[in-house]
Amino acid sequence: MRIEPKDFQDNAVLRLTEEIESARREIDRGRLQAVVLSSPTGSGKTVIMTLLMERLWAGHESIAPDPEAIFLWISDSPELNIQSKEKIEAASDVFPRSRLVIIENDFNLERLVPGNIYFLNTQKLGVSSLLTKEGNRREWTIWQTIENTAKASPAHLNLIVDEAHRGM
């Protein structure tokens, strides 16, 4: 991590890691799980999540590395995806630019690739979106890609829903 986390951010990562390890055990038992980070605006949620993703993928102290970890970062708009990607790129020394993938309309993979952070905005998930339709040289819709990834690697797919910027 290129940025030194504040103590409360490091503590949040430790708690999240414990929750994720517990959730993975439940997933192995066939029980779907969710782990939530809720924190005030300006508290450094992106820094916390970057550090968490680094530790999950590369390992840290008591955390075994998970080179099969896949991260799908979902936000409300393309601008927020770009902003998050740029923050992660600036903060992370584990995830190079080549592993930070913004899902565009021409995206076409059977499954998401381990070790990558994918950025997807909710506008691209609507019924009129090209990503949700077959054809035009597309073999896989985004929904099929996510489903295939979840089936193949249920304990390794990490969904991050960024609602921090949602208008109230």
Side-chain angles (χ1 to χ4, degrees), residues 84-150:
S84 297
K85 178 184 178 283
E86 288 174 351
K87 284 183 180 181
I88 293 168
E89 190 175 316
S92 179
D93 54 4
V94 171
F95 294 103
R97 179 179 297 164
S98 63
R99 292 189 172 272
L100 306 177
V101 180
I102 292 182
I103 295 178
E104 300 292 356
N105 287 329
D106 61 349
F107 189 84
N108 186 29
L109 290 178
E110 180 180 5
R111 288 191 298 264
L112 300 175
V113 177
N116 285 350
I117 303 172
Y118 292 91
F119 298 88
L120 179 62
N121 67 76
T122 55
Q123 296 171 7
K124 292 182 178 169
L125 296 175
V127 293
S128 62
S129 168
L130 293 176
L131 282 174
T132 62
K133 298 177 181 176
E134 292 181 7
N136 291 338
R137 295 186 298 234
R138 179 185 316 285
E139 291 181 62
W140 310 99
T141 69
I142 191 64
W143 295 117
Q144 291 168 329
T145 299
I146 294 169
E147 180 181 16
N148 293 340
T149 304

Side-chain angles (χ1 to χ4, degrees), residues 43-61:
S43 61
K45 289 181 288 293
T46 304
V47 170
I48 292 169
M49 294 308 297
T50 301
L51 185 55
L52 177 65
M53 290 184 292
E54 286 184 346
R55 289 182 179 178
L56 290 175
W57 188 74
H60 178 77
E61 295 177 2

